[in-house]
Structures are given as structure tokens and as C-alpha cells.
Amino acid sequence: MANITVDDKTKVGFIASGKMAQAMAKGFISSGMLKPSQLTMSDPRKNQYHILEEMGVVKTQSNVTVVKESTIVFVAVKPHFVRMVLKEVCQHITKKHLIVSIAAGVSLEGLEEECPLGTHVIKVMPNTPCLVQCGLAVYSLGTHATKEDGDLVKSLLSSLGMVEEIPDRLMAPASAVGGCGPAYMYTAIDALADGGVKMGLPRELSKKLAAQMMMGAAKMVLETGEHPGQLKDNVTSPGGHNYSCHSRAGQTGF
């Protein structure tokens, strides 16, 4: 594969333009990593074109066009469509391409089987907070992908948040924590906000307080390096409100 760097000539394509693809594309654009004109996104549904037009990206109904117009191609279809889509575009994949799949549950081996022999393939699992450039993504290199390929993807994805390389065997548990985790955190924020409203706080203020608290707590874990249990103990006085709350949470299986 030709040496690719992320610059104003880089062409990135998305096969499919669902929520995750949109989150990533919007993150690339809002961070200044890529211009809208550097992105080509496919969607067979013309009624979705207004979203792509608002983003300013190049839109098409053809997956083949995405491959022809791009050097880095993100395969962003649902897992059960991956093999079908790769069969469709296979003959148009060349040595200049880097194929990056964000489809959960599809192994690197399975991806490589549907691409021409020697294709550079990388598997990535991003999460939706990439939309606000505070997400995370983990990636694994395929058989023929090089360290340079990995560095390229890491450089691109770093505009969206934290990026870590992991072995493919750890992709499933990492996806469970990083990909599914936000839903649990949203539930916790909602519950905390409900509690604030119950005690008299306006709904919007209570939601902001809960969300900011969670963001700050997460930053404490990442930047101090302390164990979450220790950080919890640091703000839990014997017999105090925090102790009572944690004790009750433990009793209810939190």
C-alpha cells in the first residue's frame, strides 16, 4: 500500500452513513482533521441525503464510488451486511487502499477473506462520544496491516478522543466496556438528575450537574491514576451522606 498521511489531500470514505459513521465524520470535520470535501459517504436511502448535505460531504448511493474516490475506506454497515458489501467492492480494492471496519462481531480473518489477498485491513471499535471529540476507539491490525497503517488510523481517530491498539482477541470485551458503557452512564446521569428533581432542582440544572460531575469524576480517574475505589473513599466521610448513599447502593445491587 502506498504511504498515506493525513493531510489536505487525504480522501476518506464511509460505506454506509449510519449514526456511528456520522459521529465519526462529524468529529473529523469539527476537529479540523478533515474538510467535508475530503469525505465521501454512501447511503442507498435518498431521504437521508439532507443529513449528508448539511455535513457538506460528498454523497453517493454507490459503495463502489466510495472505494474509487477514497484511499482510507471505513466499512460502517451492520455486521450481517459486511461480507455482502465487501464482495460488491472487492474488485475495486487496490494496494493503495486501507480498509477499516467498524462492524462489531466480524473478525479480522473474516474481513480479510472477502478482500483481495494482501489487503491492508484494520478493525476499529469507536463509541458515539466521538461526536463531541471525547470518545474512545480501540483498533487491531490485520495480517498485512503495518505499524504505519496503525499509526495512520491512530492519528485520524485521535481527533475524536482516546485511541488504543489492542490484540483482536480483546476486541469483544473492549467493545462491551467502551462501546456499550455510555448507555449505562446515560442511565446513571438520568437517575441522578431524577434524584435532583425530586429534591427540588430544576430538571435542566439537575441534568447539567449530574453530567458535569460524571465528566469530572472520569477525568480524575484518568489524570490522577488512582484506583476508583480510592477516589471514592477520598470523598466518603465516616457516617456521612456519601457513606449512607454508597451503603444503600450496595444493598440494591449497584
Side-chain angles (χ1 to χ4, degrees), residues 11 16 40 71 85 95 110 116 142 147 159 162 174 189 218 225 243 249:
K11 295 293 186 180
T40 300
T71 47
V85 164
K95 292 182 179 180
K147 179 182 181 300
S159 66
M162 185 184 81
I189 290 172
Y243 178 82

Side-chain angles (χ1 to χ4, degrees), residues 23-24 27-28 31 129-130 132-136 156-162:
M24 294 177 69
F28 294 157
S31 68
C130 288
V132 292
Q133 297 162 43
C134 195
L136 65 86
L156 191 60
L157 296 176
S158 65
S159 66
L160 308 177
M162 185 184 81

Side-chain angles (χ1 to χ4, degrees), residues 226-234:
E226 291 195 51
H227 190 281
Q230 181 60 54
L231 291 171
K232 179 196 71 175
D233 288 347
N234 291 348

Side-chain angles (χ1 to χ4, degrees), residues 184-199 203 206-207 210 214 254:
Y184 292 94
M185 297 303 101
Y186 299 145
T187 300
I189 290 172
D190 191 36
L192 285 166
D194 283 346
V197 171
K198 185 177 181 179
M199 292 185 289
R203 167 67 64 181
S206 190
K207 182 183 71 174
M214 186 167 287
F254 180 75

Side-chain angles (χ1 to χ4, degrees), residues 72-253:
I72 305 170
V73 179
F74 285 89
V75 180
V77 296
K78 298 292 186 183
H80 55 283
F81 289 127
V82 169
R83 289 182 181 273
M84 180 183 72
V85 164
L86 288 177
K87 285 180 185 294
E88 175 191 354
V89 302
C90 179
Q91 68 184 72
H92 303 283
I93 296 174
T94 68
K95 292 182 179 180
K96 76 172 186 177
H97 287 106
L98 174 58
I99 305 300
V100 185
S101 171
I102 65 170
V106 182
S107 68
L108 278 169
E109 182 180 4
L111 294 167
E112 290 173 337
E113 285 177 356
E114 302 301 337
C115 294
L117 184 64
T119 299
H120 293 217
V121 177
I122 292 180
K123 183 176 177 179
V124 173
M125 281 294 107
N127 67 2
T128 51
C130 288
L131 178 59
V132 292
Q133 297 162 43
C134 195
L136 65 86
V138 292
Y139 70 94
S140 300
L141 303 181
T143 305
H144 305 287
T146 64
K147 179 182 181 300
E148 289 71 26
D149 295 330
D151 290 343
L152 171 64
V153 166
K154 187 170 185 177
S155 174
L156 191 60
L157 296 176
S158 65
S159 66
L160 308 177
M162 185 184 81
V163 186
E164 294 286 343
E165 180 182 359
I166 62 172
D168 190 42
R169 61 183 174 80
L170 296 180
M171 188 61 75
S175 299
V177 174
C180 301
Y184 292 94
M185 297 303 101
Y186 299 145
T187 300
I189 290 172
D190 191 36
L192 285 166
D194 283 346
V197 171
K198 185 177 181 179
M199 292 185 289
L201 287 174
R203 167 67 64 181
E204 192 62 24
L205 175 60
S206 190
K207 182 183 71 174
K208 286 182 178 179
L209 292 176
Q212 178 64 34
M213 174 281 304
M214 186 167 287
M215 184 167 66
K219 195 169 184 179
M220 285 285 287
V221 172
L222 291 172
E223 295 193 2
T224 67
E226 291 195 51
H227 190 281
Q230 181 60 54
L231 291 171
K232 179 196 71 175
D233 288 347
N234 291 348
V235 294
T236 304
S237 301
H241 290 299
N242 267 343
Y243 178 82
S244 298
C245 291
H246 284 297
S247 178
R248 177 60 178 166
Q251 292 171 13
T252 56

